[in-house]
Amino acid sequence: MPGHGVSTAAFPPAAAAMPSFETGARQGRLRQYQLQLIERIQAARSGALAARKELGVMLGGRPCLLDLTQLGEIVIATGVQIQGVPLAQDWYLGLAAMRGRLTGVVDLARYMGEPSCVPGNHCRIITFSPRLGLNCAVLVERVLGLRQLRTLQSIPLPDAPPSWAAQALRDSEGQQWLRLDLAQLAQSERFLDAGFGGLAAHKDIC
């Protein structure tokens, strides 16, 4: 899977202009939140949570759900150096060294036909679970926390979506969610072919 997109400067160190004590406190809170979220995700995977939950994320201003069993790590994007490579689609940001492995990073909102993710402290990079067989990660605007599927109601989709985004849900407050299947996405021909020559033949945009 080729890479492209942003230079390593696209995600500068968070809050570089803030006083050091404020920056340290904010980063501490972010790390604490991230650790708590990872613990909850691990508990959900192990069956410690009785009700099935999924991770809510924001993509191009659209609330989406990701299956916890398909996720690896959640990383603050400002701490990740992404090396772009030429001749790839604009949604393929490039390669990043994560856990000692080169991982392809995709702006999933842009891939879906939405506006590109705007860099900032709120952005997260979420890696695919190793069981999906693809060393890849997606960039999301922000993480919205866990959502219980049993509290959401299935609603019809207006158009014929790709196989990896085939379910829409609505919560008790009327908010609509698009449920994404990263396992299906990892097998999508367009997703696996990030080069400029591969776009026209594939209809895989939400």
Side-chain angles (χ1 to χ4, degrees):
M1 203 171 161
H4 169 65
V6 298
S7 67
T8 55
F11 295 98
M18 295 182 179
S20 59
F21 70 89
E22 184 177 347
T23 302
R26 177 172 293 185
Q27 290 178 342
R29 290 194 297 271
L30 286 172
R31 281 194 293 268
Q32 183 178 12
Y33 170 76
Q34 183 181 2
L35 287 173
Q36 290 173 344
L37 187 57
I38 290 173
E39 288 175 356
R40 295 178 69 186
I41 289 174
Q42 290 173 340
R45 286 177 181 156
S46 67
L49 298 179
R52 185 176 179 184
K53 294 186 177 183
E54 297 203 347
L55 182 67
V57 298
M58 189 68 74
L59 291 167
R62 179 190 296 189
C64 297
L65 295 171
L66 302 177
D67 187 333
L68 295 179
T69 65
Q70 298 177 350
L71 308 182
E73 295 183 90
I74 302 174
V75 181
I76 299 173
T78 50
V80 177
Q81 298 293 313
I82 302 174
Q83 180 62 54
V85 291
L87 302 179
Q89 297 296 334
D90 55 2
W91 47 264
Y92 193 92
L93 300 180
L95 297 169
M98 304 180 71
R99 294 271 185 191
R101 300 180 62 188
L102 284 178
T103 299
V105 182
V106 170
D107 183 339
L108 191 51
R110 183 62 179 164
Y111 179 85
M112 294 165 61
E114 304 289 348
S116 298
C117 181
V118 178
N121 296 341
H122 47 80
C123 297
R124 297 292 183 270
I125 293 176
I126 303 176
T127 63
F128 285 20
S129 168
R131 74 182 186 86
L132 298 187
L134 188 63
N135 199 28
C136 186
V138 293
L139 175 70
V140 303
E141 292 173 28
R142 63 181 71 248
V143 169
L144 303 176
L146 299 178
R147 296 293 187 274
Q148 272 192 343
L149 284 181
R150 70 181 183 184
T151 65
L152 304 177
Q153 179 184 5
S154 181
I155 58 176
L157 286 165
D159 302 309
S163 61
W164 51 270
Q167 186 177 19
L169 301 163
R170 182 169 54 215
D171 62 26
S172 59
E173 298 178 353
Q175 178 65 65
Q176 294 187 17
W177 299 81
L178 182 64
R179 192 175 179 216
L180 307 181
D181 186 339
L182 296 185
Q184 290 283 341
L185 180 64
Q187 298 176 31
S188 167
E189 187 177 358
R190 174 175 170 247
F191 191 78
L192 295 173
D193 183 7
F196 280 118
L199 178 64
H202 308 309
K203 305 298 182 182
D204 193 26
I205 301 176
C206 291

